[in-house]
Amino acid sequence: MQIEQLLQEISKLEPKAPAVESQKVWWTWGQLDELVQALVKMVGRSGVPQDGRVGLLLRNRAGPIAALLTCVVSGRCAVGFNPLIPAAKLANDIERQCPTLLIGLDTDMSAEVCDVADALAIPTIRLSDEVGVMPQWGNRFRKPPPASLERLAPETMFEMLSSGTTGAPKRIPLLRSNFNKSLESVQSLDRKRGEMGLRLRSGTRLQTAPLTHMSGLFTVLMTLAEGRKLALMEKFSVGEWVDAVERTLPRVVNLPPAALQMILDADIPKERLSSLVAIRSGTAPVDPSLIDEFRERYGLPVLVQYGATEFSGSVAGWEISAFRELYDQKRGSVGKIQPGIEARIVDGDSQAPLPLGEKGILELRGRQVGDATDWVRTTDLASLDEDYYLWVHGRADGAINRGGFKVHPDEVVAALQKHPAVREAVVVGMDDARLGTVPVAAIIAAAGKVPPTAEELKIFLSEMLSPYQMPVKYVFVGDLPRTPSMKPALPAVKEMLTEHAT
């Protein structure tokens, strides 16, 4: 069954049952569906063509989720916008994309957003945060803006912004067919567990990843399609997250590595997380030592997943049973390649396939990757073992060219984070008049530890790195600039280090 059918049928099973907790208030399936149906009618009467791109101001609230479901069940392309960025920047993004229609919370329709919508003749629909309050027209135009009709997207389900980790975020089209293939992968696992069937399921999934990020979008749609309850958090903080865990009692949660480290640093008592049986992670590389510490402190497996926006979800990952049986043998792996996906490692220069166990560039093909017939090259350095488990060793496209020597930042970061006084590190290339580019490290000290000196770090790293890999400078910071998915935002880190040097 396709995602659009599942969502429509699930919502009709038990209309009075709780579906989504938004700002600590539960919306029932019936209340959510009532809002979706109202939006479907408004969009249908708006004059927007079926393959027009519908702009959504997305945040982790029930109203924007209903707007997303509206696009999914009516077969329209949704274009996500982040209302948490500065209003002028958001207005510029809307102007560049020029959707045929814009839907968002009334509180997110700032003067700048309304001005650009009026100037481009983009109709707007305003949503309320209150349960049972129906959407209202903001402005209404008889025809969609002419510029929007030049960018129709009949096969696209969602235009998703990339994470912006290594540069300016770019929009990537997620095809409806590829998303449904990801859904098939999830359903095949359910069949193995004997969990198939159209029904509401017990348990709650706690959502911290933003809807503007692939992991957030995928989790929301899959959770609701499975008939599970969804509890929303707009931003991760340790205290609020722990309170939400105790309130909603989820069994499995998704958290980025930075959040895992924050929980460890806060020394949260084990009994406060007693409902959990596992944690999924993977929006950024997860240090194996972090997984080890979480297992030791809380007895919880950290199930790493590997995927990308372009793949409409995960293509490799750990399941609980496999983790318990095999993780100690395959420590550091991001999990097994999923059914329906092929993977191989190729030489970066010759593009020739490499033997199992050797490092090279990861290539994938399969039902949710590209056209499912051609190999798709990633930007990751990786290796595979004989059981089809995958290790990711860093990015192949982020090398720092230091006077002709290539420095891979992930290798330097991995070495730095082995130091007991280093909680998190980022290494970026900074301009150098003599060598072109040199590595510089931004470091967050571990809680309760005295930051080591530059000389101490050099001595420590010399046992693991070559001289040309050594950072020329170590800057200790309170925190790092981050993307919405809590990855370090490398362009902003470079800007911060540039300002620090002046």
Side-chain angles (χ1 to χ4, degrees):
M1 192 178 294
Q2 305 293 289
I3 183 76
E4 50 267 33
Q5 297 169 287
L6 270 175
L7 290 170
Q8 292 182 80
E9 295 192 25
I10 283 285
S11 65
K12 303 292 193 296
L13 292 178
E14 295 182 38
K16 294 184 179 180
V20 175
E21 186 198 60
S22 178
Q23 295 185 293
K24 300 183 181 180
V25 174
W26 280 99
W27 291 51
T28 67
W29 287 97
Q31 290 164 337
L32 190 65
D33 185 55
E34 183 182 22
L35 180 52
V36 170
Q37 296 309 318
L39 285 168
V40 168
K41 289 180 181 178
M42 292 178 76
V43 175
R45 294 170 181 168
S46 68
V48 171
Q50 180 61 36
D51 48 3
R53 299 157 67 248
V54 178
L56 305 180
L57 300 178
L58 291 175
R59 63 166 71 230
N60 287 13
R61 304 269 184 93
I65 284 179
L68 172 63
L69 297 181
T70 297
C71 290
V72 174
V73 301
S74 61
R76 296 179 182 274
C77 170
V79 182
F81 295 96
N82 184 359
L84 300 179
I85 65 177
K89 188 174 179 181
L90 172 59
N92 287 337
D93 194 18
I94 294 169
E95 183 177 11
R96 285 194 302 271
Q97 295 300 318
C98 194
T100 55
L101 175 68
L102 186 65
I103 307 175
L105 289 171
D106 187 69
T107 51
D108 288 330
M109 293 286 183
S110 64
E112 292 90 342
V113 169
C114 291
D115 286 347
V116 75
D118 288 343
L120 296 175
I122 300 172
T124 59
I125 296 177
R126 292 172 174 258
L127 305 171
S128 171
D129 259 333
E130 296 184 28
V131 179
V133 177
M134 291 297 100
Q136 303 291 325
W137 285 104
N139 58 24
R140 195 167 181 179
F141 299 94
R142 292 185 179 181
K143 295 180 180 179
S148 72
L149 300 181
E150 299 172 4
R151 305 174 65 174
L152 303 180
E155 302 298 327
T156 301
M157 177 177 170
F158 199 90
E159 291 187 8
M160 170 64 70
L161 275 174
S162 63
S163 64
T165 304
T166 58
K170 56 184 181 297
R171 277 189 169 76
I172 298 170
L174 305 181
L175 299 183
R176 189 172 296 267
S177 57
N178 283 358
F179 197 93
N180 276 310
K181 288 168 186 173
S182 294
L183 176 62
E184 289 172 16
S185 297
V186 174
Q187 290 174 328
S188 68
L189 290 174
D190 284 346
R191 278 192 289 271
K192 290 180 181 178
R193 301 185 191 116
E195 296 181 0
M196 285 302 291
L198 197 65
R199 59 189 172 88
L200 298 188
R201 302 169 193 248
S202 62
T204 302
R205 191 159 284 157
L206 182 56
Q207 172 76 8
T208 57
L211 271 173
T212 49
H213 187 270
M214 183 62 216
S215 65
L217 176 82
F218 191 84
T219 299
V220 164
L221 292 179
M222 290 303 181
T223 298
L224 297 178
E226 291 171 353
R228 297 188 193 276
K229 297 191 291 290
L230 181 69
L232 300 170
M233 288 183 63
E234 281 208 88
K235 186 178 180 181
F236 179 85
S237 73
V238 174
E240 290 185 13
W241 180 82
V242 173
D243 288 345
V245 168
E246 292 183 312
R247 185 177 69 251
T248 62
L249 302 177
R251 288 174 56 80
V252 179
V253 293
N254 291 57
L255 289 173
L260 295 177
Q261 187 63 61
M262 291 165 70
I263 292 167
L264 288 170
D265 290 345
D267 199 21
I268 301 301
K270 183 177 179 179
E271 58 270 19
R272 297 194 69 183
L273 307 183
S274 59
S275 71
L276 298 179
V277 298
I279 291 178
R280 294 191 184 279
S281 189
T283 58
V286 186
D287 191 320
S289 63
L290 182 61
I291 296 175
D292 296 340
E293 188 173 356
F294 226 87
R295 290 171 74 190
E296 182 178 349
R297 182 90 60 91
Y298 298 109
L300 293 173
V302 177
L303 308 176
V304 179
Q305 310 291 300
Y306 171 80
T309 301
E310 300 91 323
F311 305 150
S312 304
S314 297
V315 294
W318 283 97
E319 292 298 319
I320 292 179
S321 58
F323 185 95
R324 289 172 177 160
E325 180 184 354
L326 298 172
Y327 184 76
D328 288 337
Q329 303 170 34
K330 300 179 185 294
R331 183 177 180 270
S333 169
V334 298
K336 190 172 186 176
I337 299 294
Q338 292 180 355
I341 302 293
E342 293 181 83
R344 70 179 184 183
I345 307 299
V346 301
D347 182 84
D349 297 321
S350 69
Q351 302 185 29
L354 295 174
L356 293 172
E358 290 197 21
K359 292 182 184 180
I361 309 298
L362 174 65
E363 291 189 343
L364 299 163
R365 71 178 176 189
R367 55 190 177 187
Q368 69 199 63
V369 181
D371 61 8
T373 58
D374 295 326
W375 287 100
V376 174
R377 176 169 288 204
T378 72
T379 57
D380 290 320
L381 289 169
S383 58
L384 284 164
D385 74 2
E386 64 279 2
D387 298 318
Y388 229 30
Y389 278 78
L390 175 69
W391 279 257
V392 177
H393 306 288
R395 294 180 68 97
D397 63 345
I400 298 167
N401 190 337
R402 182 177 186 170
F405 292 92
K406 285 190 177 180
V407 179
H408 292 283
D410 291 326
E411 294 180 6
V412 185
V413 167
L416 276 167
Q417 291 181 168
K418 287 182 170 63
H419 194 288
V422 174
R423 189 188 96 184
E424 187 176 1
V426 172
V427 173
V428 296
M430 303 294 288
D431 291 341
D432 182 83
R434 186 172 65 88
L435 296 173
T437 316
V438 292
V440 175
I443 303 170
I444 300 175
K449 301 288 187 180
V450 177
T453 65
E455 191 58 34
E456 289 170 338
L457 284 172
K458 287 177 184 177
I459 294 170
F460 177 79
L461 293 175
S462 65
E463 299 181 6
M464 296 172 279
L465 301 178
S466 300
Y468 70 86
Q469 293 177 292
M470 294 283 198
V472 299
K473 191 173 185 180
Y474 306 88
V475 179
F476 280 86
V477 296
D479 199 2
L480 295 164
R482 298 185 187 276
T483 68
S485 58
M486 296 184 71
K487 297 180 186 179
L490 300 189
V493 171
K494 288 187 69 170
E495 185 176 333
M496 177 185 70
L497 292 174
T498 300
E499 293 173 356
H500 188 276
T502 58

